[in-house]
Amino acid sequence: MGRPTAPLVDRDDAIAKALDIIDRDGLKALSLRRLGSDLGVSAAALYHHFADKQEILRGVVDLVFATEIVTPVESESWEEHVLHSIARYRAALVAHPNAAPLMTLGGPAAPPLDNLPREFIVRKMLKEGVPERYCYPIIESAAMLAFGSAMMNPKQLSPAERFQLDETTKVAGLRRVIDGTYATATELFSLELRALIRGWRAIIEED
């Protein structure tokens, strides 16, 4: 008699189920045993399809970004590409906040990230004359702004909803500027990102 075959598991289904677990119950809830149980197979069966849990997590990251990926456009300036790609990065974080630790560089939970998008923007920056010493700081500052925007306001409340200021005169100035700012978290982030990129452009031009 031949050896019994392992139950068939569709890789895409397994990764989608892993993301579903993370979205519902958090990153710590994902284990091979839990994933196997939800798929109706044993944890051992998953090793016939994935080398380890990190490979599953890598697939989760790819899935999260699958609908948020920005196709490189050579005709765009580096500023335009950063604006588009970072906005999509933030959108992925907003849609899947529990998966956020997987989208950072380093750390025990984070699988190796695909660096080709970073390579594309670095090449574009260098080609357009951005000094080497500024390339990575630009990328990091934009990514950190997006990460903070998503994680500090996971429900994406408007500034007015977040502060809920009363009529007290002690904060009349703050209430005035909150009432006068953008109505949505996305609009506010777009302004902040544009300001960041213009600031980097000014620094570059100063050099």
Side-chain angles (χ1 to χ4, degrees):
M1 296 180 61
R3 296 175 59 186
T5 58
L8 292 177
V9 175
D10 184 89
R11 284 177 58 90
D12 291 341
D13 288 346
I15 291 170
K17 178 60 68 175
L19 177 58
D20 181 58
I21 292 172
I22 293 171
D23 282 343
R24 286 188 289 111
D25 302 322
L27 186 59
K28 291 183 178 179
L30 179 65
S31 66
L32 292 180
R33 177 176 295 182
R34 167 72 184 278
L35 180 57
S37 176
D38 281 18
L39 290 169
V41 301
S42 68
L46 293 172
Y47 283 108
H48 290 270
H49 306 276
F50 301 95
D52 52 27
K53 183 179 176 180
Q54 286 294 93
E55 186 177 350
I56 297 173
L57 295 178
R58 170 69 261 180
V60 167
V61 173
D62 290 341
L63 178 58
V64 166
F65 285 119
T67 58
E68 305 298 343
I69 194 68
V70 174
T71 302
V73 178
E74 291 291 346
S75 61
E76 284 186 335
S77 67
W78 71 264
E79 294 101 327
E80 291 171 328
H81 183 76
V82 169
L83 287 171
H84 295 160
S85 61
I86 293 298
R88 294 291 185 89
Y89 172 63
R90 175 181 172 276
L93 291 169
V94 170
H96 304 281
N98 287 342
L102 300 177
M103 303 179 206
T104 61
L105 288 170
L113 295 182
D114 181 2
N115 284 315
L116 289 181
R118 293 181 182 85
E119 175 66 15
F120 175 82
I121 185 57
V122 165
R123 291 202 319 267
K124 181 174 283 291
M125 286 177 171
L126 293 174
K127 182 179 179 180
E128 295 179 20
V130 177
E132 292 181 6
R133 63 185 177 280
Y134 292 144
C135 291
Y136 181 72
I138 291 171
I139 296 171
E140 181 178 72
S141 61
M144 291 180 69
L145 178 64
F147 196 90
S149 172
M151 295 299 99
M152 290 179 64
N153 186 13
K155 294 183 179 180
Q156 293 300 287
L157 301 176
S158 69
E161 291 171 324
R162 292 183 68 191
F163 282 87
Q164 295 184 341
L165 300 177
D166 56 28
E167 298 300 320
T168 176
T169 56
K170 292 181 180 179
V171 293
L174 177 60
R175 182 160 52 83
R176 178 180 177 183
V177 298
I178 292 298
D179 289 343
T181 195
Y182 287 98
T184 70
T186 298
E187 290 174 318
L188 183 61
F189 171 74
S190 179
L191 170 65
E192 294 166 345
L193 182 59
R194 293 199 310 272
L196 177 70
I197 298 304
R198 289 183 183 180
W200 278 116
R201 169 52 68 187
I203 290 174
I204 294 168
E205 290 176 353
E206 286 175 1
D207 281 0

